[in-house]
Amino acid sequence: MRQATKRRYQDYFSFPLDEFQIEAIARLDEGHSVLVCAPTGAGKTVIAEYAIHHALAQRRRVFYTTPLKALSNQKYRDLGAMLGQPRVGLLTGDISINRDADVVVMTTEVFRNMLYGTTLGAVETSLRDVQFVVLDEVHYMNDAQRGTVWEESIIYCPPSVQLVALSATVANAGDMAAWMQKVHGDTTLISSDFRPVPLRFHYFDGRRLTSLLQRDTVGDHRPKMNPGTRRRLRPGEMMAEPDALVDALAEKEMLPAIYFVFSRKGCDRAMLSCGHLQLLKEEEIDRVEKIVGQYAEDYPSAADHPHLPYLFRGLAVHHAGLLPTWKVLVERLFQAGLIKVVFATETLAAGINMPARTTVLSSITKRSDDGHRTLSASEFLQMSGRAGRRGMDRVGHVVVVASPYQTLADAQRLATAPPDPLGSHFTPTYGMVLNLLQRHTLEEAQFLVSRSFGEFLDEERRKRRAAKRRKHREERPERGAELGGGNWQRFLGLKGVLEYYGYLEENHPTPAGVTAASFRAEHELLIAESLDSGAVDELTPSQLAAVATALVGEELRPSAWTKVAPAGPTVPALTQIIALARDLRAVQRRNRLELPTRIYADCSGLTQLWAEDADWDFLMSLTNLDEGDVVRVFRRTIDLLEQIRHAPGLDESIQRLAGEAVASLDREPVREVM
């Protein structure tokens, strides 16, 4: 079997594979699903690429899921270059390209939504001919807001489809693989701590780089505690300036670097402090000028960006407050080797493929609602794992910068800490209840809800406790597994609310329930009620867009402001929807549910103006929100409007209105960058 596997992968790859890659490929050939846990940069993507080649050779299809739209866009481009663009499709909610292609890249939410249209155990139209589903970055299960999507995807995926789950290193990979084996079918854990490009850890005290970790005679990374290592910077003592460190990295040929700073303003300040440095050669400056010129033809907002001069020095900033069009330009220049230092918030660590020779952590603490806290081991691993480019660097470097909130010993402990375990964030929603009961009986729905990772972990803990009691000859019987536990009680509470509003009858969705089941948002029931109530029937496209923003809006931070409010018929429409939300909150409480129903219309006025063809610079003069935040609000609004546009059972005039609203919003610099 091993020799046959080797012959097959040699047909697809011109380089030798590592042992864990060969093992994973062999298991895929045997028909197993695999959970691959390995460090960032170890080569997990090769396993996904083998699955693609293997499926295409059998005239089968592959779905490739990622957690972020930016990652999906990048993977779409990469696979298009590898296979030829006609063979690759893209689905990200608001973008649909070649959805019937041999390989379709999509966000994990899109895949989960497809599965809701599939009867338990069946492969229907949307999954026909699909042999493999790649779940990239499956450790996103730990995300408190979105982690449930990965659990649902694994639970509902038909057993005949092989899963290729790729994860960063986690502490309880065995539990995860055992759960996948139970709920999906034959699954093999492939784990490796091998890192092709080893890391060296450094500490920068403002003057010099020193080794963070010292090896003992055995060779493992144990910190050697020297006198003074517990000292923090004293109040008023000079913190390390970014330009001093960047200068040192350039001198030691440790660039390019990703310099992590845990605030947007901090990123901007760090770049400004390095503005006197010139990190590019003349020929590199010429290349930057050519790339920027070509890019600005499609995205004019890049032509006069205030950060533009820094690109010609090899410097850039990357954070969520920037226009997406600008961030994509920075990403492409970095990948071309023309940005030598990018100052970024930690979102870049979980984002697109931007490996560097060095990663810098400006601190190992970050501000939270409860003050400063130390980074988790997984956060540290995710950021440090960006260092070291396979095939380009002999070693990667990780630099921790001195900070008033940490000691050297703190940094040493974090650098040697084991990874965090995966947990469960499986959470029933109104959409889940409606979608499951469209295709399944109440008993089948209970069975599915009971198969969450959290329920599995609880069951394993009960088994261990029972085994421990037996060992001590305690014959007290173990209570059988709360089937579905707390999740099932929440499911029943949601079901009660849906029955009250007429979206469910006799455990099956009504026509209104079928419409509500198509919405994917935090307020799906409130969205359905708002559309059904007549509140938006007489609105214009720009007014509907303003209402949609309120339905997907988030509370602004205390220091944020906007100077424009929604106007005209938008105001009574929002007043009516706020009353609906108040009534819904009361019904939820009677069903023992505390779910968010607040409406945030702070940005609705901005949306209405933009949809009425306002100028972007004028719009930004009416708020202190960062450009990236405003774009994100508009993209969320477009996503909801697209859902309204395609929702089954809605009046055609509302659907047409939603389509016109999308067209009014979806223009540069809000338009998605491909």
Side-chain angles (χ1 to χ4, degrees):
M1 173 62 74
R2 229 7 124 70
Q3 287 303 315
T5 296
K6 186 174 182 180
R7 282 194 299 273
R8 274 194 290 274
Y9 84 68
Q10 285 176 337
D11 291 339
Y12 307 131
F13 304 109
S14 59
F15 50 86
L17 299 193
D18 297 327
E19 188 61 32
F20 83 95
Q21 295 167 327
I22 296 172
E23 178 71 16
I25 287 171
R27 299 290 81 77
L28 292 179
D29 284 348
E30 293 171 355
H32 285 220
S33 294
V34 295
L35 170 62
V36 184
C37 293
T40 302
K44 297 186 289 290
T45 305
V46 166
I47 299 163
E49 290 176 358
Y50 173 81
I52 291 170
H53 288 302
H54 185 63
L56 296 184
Q58 310 299 315
R59 298 188 178 180
R60 303 285 299 279
R61 302 175 70 211
V62 176
F63 285 173
Y64 197 115
T65 78
T66 83
L68 304 171
K69 289 183 180 180
L71 270 173
S72 292
N73 292 343
Q74 184 184 57
K75 186 57 65 175
Y76 169 72
R77 292 192 298 268
D78 292 346
L79 291 176
M82 182 175 80
L83 302 172
Q85 211 64 62
R87 303 196 79 174
V88 185
L90 177 66
L91 299 174
T92 60
D94 51 358
I95 289 181
S96 176
I97 301 173
N98 199 12
R99 64 183 304 131
D100 297 320
D102 296 331
V103 180
V104 185
V105 183
M106 62 190 73
T107 54
T108 316
E109 277 88 350
V110 168
F111 176 63
R112 185 275 311 270
N113 297 345
M114 282 185 181
L115 295 175
Y116 276 139
T118 301
T119 307
L120 181 63
V123 179
E124 299 185 0
T125 305
S126 58
L127 278 80
R128 185 166 293 148
D129 296 326
V130 173
Q131 182 175 6
F132 297 106
V133 170
V134 178
L135 296 172
D136 205 355
E137 311 278 351
V138 77
H139 50 270
Y140 260 75
M141 271 180 56
N142 258 358
D143 185 273
Q145 280 73 46
R146 299 174 60 218
T148 183
V149 173
W150 279 261
E151 287 192 62
E152 292 172 55
S153 295
I154 293 169
I155 292 168
Y156 304 147
C157 185
S160 57
V161 176
Q162 292 174 250
L163 296 178
V164 183
L166 308 179
S167 173
T169 307
V170 294
N172 58 341
D175 286 335
M176 175 73 175
W179 171 69
M180 289 177 63
Q181 170 93 16
K182 179 178 180 180
V183 302
H184 183 73
D186 289 339
T187 302
T188 302
L189 171 63
I190 308 293
S191 60
S192 173
D193 57 5
F194 171 69
R195 194 187 156 84
V197 183
L199 296 181
R200 289 182 182 168
F201 293 82
H202 311 268
Y203 198 73
F204 185 67
D205 62 5
R207 299 181 303 278
R208 61 196 181 104
L209 278 171
T210 57
S211 177
L212 177 65
L213 303 176
Q214 296 185 15
R215 294 176 181 267
D216 62 15
T217 54
V218 181
D220 36 37
H221 286 83
R222 294 178 188 154
K224 181 179 179 181
M225 308 302 290
N226 296 315
T229 56
R230 295 187 180 277
R231 185 181 74 81
R232 289 182 170 85
L233 292 176
R234 300 186 186 94
E237 189 173 359
M238 288 293 291
M239 290 182 63
E241 286 295 328
D243 62 336
L245 176 52
V246 170
D247 204 26
L249 295 177
E251 183 180 342
K252 294 177 180 294
E253 297 185 347
M254 293 169 64
L255 299 181
I258 299 175
Y259 198 123
F260 288 108
V261 184
F262 299 116
S263 76
R264 298 176 185 180
K265 289 182 178 178
C267 289
D268 295 342
R269 284 194 298 267
M271 184 179 70
L272 290 173
S273 80
C274 296
H276 62 283
L277 301 175
Q278 177 51 269
L279 304 176
L280 296 183
K281 301 172 184 175
E282 284 298 325
E283 60 269 24
E284 291 176 318
I285 295 173
D286 292 341
R287 289 175 59 201
V288 171
E289 189 168 17
K290 181 179 179 181
I291 291 172
V292 171
Q294 292 174 338
Y295 188 80
E297 292 178 7
D298 293 324
Y299 305 102
S301 57
D304 57 356
H305 196 280
H307 291 178
L308 186 62
Y310 295 93
L311 297 184
F312 297 98
R313 292 185 172 273
L315 301 167
V317 162
H318 192 288
H319 58 62
L322 295 169
L323 286 174
T325 50
W326 182 258
K327 288 194 295 182
V328 170
L329 175 60
V330 169
E331 292 159 8
R332 292 180 182 178
L333 289 171
F334 191 91
Q335 289 160 352
L338 297 173
I339 297 294
K340 303 303 180 182
V341 183
V342 59
F343 299 93
T345 53
E346 63 186 305
T347 53
L348 183 61
I352 64 151
N353 181 29
M354 285 177 63
R357 179 168 294 171
T358 299
T359 57
V360 178
L361 283 77
S362 62
S363 174
I364 59 165
T365 64
K366 57 185 286 191
R367 189 179 298 278
S368 68
D369 293 339
D370 302 317
H372 279 80
R373 69 164 178 86
T374 302
L375 299 176
S376 69
S378 290
E379 288 171 329
F380 184 87
L381 283 170
Q382 194 77 16
M383 284 181 274
S384 61
R386 288 287 181 180
R389 301 163 299 176
R390 189 169 190 171
M392 300 177 68
D393 299 319
R394 187 174 57 85
V395 296
H397 301 277
V398 180
V399 180
V400 178
V401 180
S403 160
Y405 304 102
Q406 71 197 34
T407 67
L408 176 58
D410 294 331
Q412 290 172 323
R413 278 193 291 271
L414 189 57
T416 56
D420 298 322
L422 283 178
S424 174
H425 294 284
F426 183 88
T427 308
T429 63
Y430 288 116
M432 181 188 295
V433 174
L434 289 167
N435 277 285
L436 288 183
L437 293 181
Q438 263 190 280
R439 298 269 175 165
H440 304 293
T441 66
L442 188 63
E443 291 73 21
E444 289 172 334
Q446 184 177 13
F447 172 71
L448 289 168
V449 170
S450 74
R451 291 163 74 80
S452 74
F453 187 45
E455 296 286 342
F456 174 82
L457 292 176
D458 286 344
E459 183 181 346
E460 291 301 299
R461 282 191 285 269
R462 285 192 293 268
K463 288 178 180 177
R464 285 193 287 270
R465 286 197 297 269
K468 188 175 181 180
R469 282 198 298 271
R470 285 195 299 270
K471 183 177 180 181
H472 291 86
R473 298 185 179 180
E474 294 180 10
E475 299 301 329
R476 185 172 30 178
E478 178 76 1
R479 291 181 62 186
E482 299 117 73
L483 187 60
N487 283 330
W488 183 243
Q489 295 308 310
R490 179 183 168 101
F491 187 100
L492 293 176
L494 296 167
K495 174 174 168 287
V497 176
L498 290 167
E499 289 170 337
Y500 175 87
Y501 280 100
Y503 289 88
L504 280 176
E505 287 181 3
E506 297 180 350
N507 297 329
H508 196 77
T510 61
V514 172
T515 301
S518 69
F519 296 124
R520 315 292 179 201
E522 188 175 27
H523 300 304
E524 63 260 73
L525 180 54
L526 182 56
I527 291 167
E529 279 292 285
S530 300
L531 296 172
D532 188 58
S533 68
V536 303
D537 287 357
E538 303 302 321
L539 300 184
T540 65
S542 64
Q543 293 161 358
L544 177 62
V547 169
T549 290
L551 287 169
V552 297
E554 298 174 347
E555 187 174 16
L556 298 183
R557 61 182 185 275
S559 60
W561 51 262
T562 60
K563 292 182 179 177
V564 58
T570 308
V571 177
L574 287 173
T575 301
Q576 186 175 343
I577 291 170
I578 289 170
L580 291 173
R582 186 168 54 247
D583 293 342
L584 173 58
R585 192 156 51 246
V587 175
Q588 288 180 159
R589 284 173 179 162
R590 290 200 296 272
N591 284 270
R592 298 183 179 181
L593 294 171
E594 289 291 337
L595 301 178
T597 57
R598 285 196 62 187
I599 298 298
Y600 296 105
D602 307 85
C603 294
S604 291
L606 293 174
T607 302
Q608 191 166 340
L609 271 182
W610 180 246
E612 291 170 355
D613 207 30
D615 174 76
W616 182 259
D617 290 336
F618 171 68
L619 196 76
M620 293 309 301
S621 73
L622 300 174
T623 180
N624 70 341
L625 290 170
D626 288 338
E627 291 182 303
D629 292 328
V630 176
V631 170
R632 189 161 50 256
V633 169
F634 291 172
R635 294 303 318 171
R636 286 168 61 107
T637 301
I638 288 170
D639 183 54
L640 176 56
L641 289 168
E642 286 284 13
Q643 293 180 49
I644 294 172
R645 182 182 176 187
H646 296 102
L650 274 184
D651 187 275
E652 288 185 6
S653 63
I654 296 293
Q655 292 179 318
R656 185 167 54 252
L657 197 68
E660 293 171 5
V662 168
S664 69
L665 294 174
D666 199 16
R667 53 196 170 91
E668 220 270 331
V670 176
R671 178 164 50 95
E672 190 85 43
V673 184
M674 292 302 302

